[in-house]
Amino acid sequence: QVQLVESGGGLVQPGGSLRLSCAASGTVSGIYVMGWYRQAPGKQREFRELVARIGSGGSTNYADPVKGRFTISRDNAKNTVALQMNNLKPEDTAVYYCNFNSLSWGSNYWGQGTQVTVSS
């Protein structure tokens, strides 16, 4: 079992920056991909969309709306993943969820989410 705890969300003005962090604990081993997803206000879970993800070897993938603005990073020694969000836009407003996807065991886990609000 893997537990994920997100932090770093908050209220920021357009053009501002936030840094999200996710700490994984439990049975963290093998080959796994960690990523960030977001769910817009008023939307249900099926509308949760990929923001960025990073593999165990450091390869990254970003959704088109955040390319060039967001950067995902990973610290395997500390079992953490971060999302640096720059030049934030109102459309970035959402609950951001950390995801842990084990390629070794076929298991998938989610954090509780952290609110990001971009508004003037």
Side-chain angles (χ1 to χ4, degrees), residues 57-78:
S59 61
T60 59
N61 180 256
Y62 296 91
D64 286 340
V66 309
K67 288 181 179 177
R69 300 189 297 120
F70 292 9
T71 302
I72 189 169
S73 60
R74 177 171 174 169
D75 188 333
N76 290 332
K78 298 180 179 179

Side-chain angles (χ1 to χ4, degrees), residues 7-86:
S7 62
L11 174 65
V12 65
Q13 295 186 3
S17 299
L18 283 174
R19 183 177 178 87
L20 306 183
S21 182
C22 173
S25 61
T27 310
V28 182
S29 63
I31 302 173
Y32 57 92
V33 177
M34 296 190 72
W36 290 93
Y37 291 70
R38 66 188 182 186
Q39 188 171 328
K43 300 295 184 180
Q44 296 180 328
R45 184 168 180 171
E46 57 261 37
F47 295 99
R48 189 175 298 177
E49 64 180 4
L50 172 70
V51 177
R53 57 190 172 196
I54 184 167
S56 60
S59 61
T60 59
N61 180 256
Y62 296 91
D64 286 340
V66 309
K67 288 181 179 177
R69 300 189 297 120
F70 292 9
T71 302
I72 189 169
S73 60
R74 177 171 174 169
D75 188 333
N76 290 332
K78 298 180 179 179
N79 293 328
T80 59
V81 61
L83 184 69
Q84 179 65 45
M85 305 184 294
N86 298 324

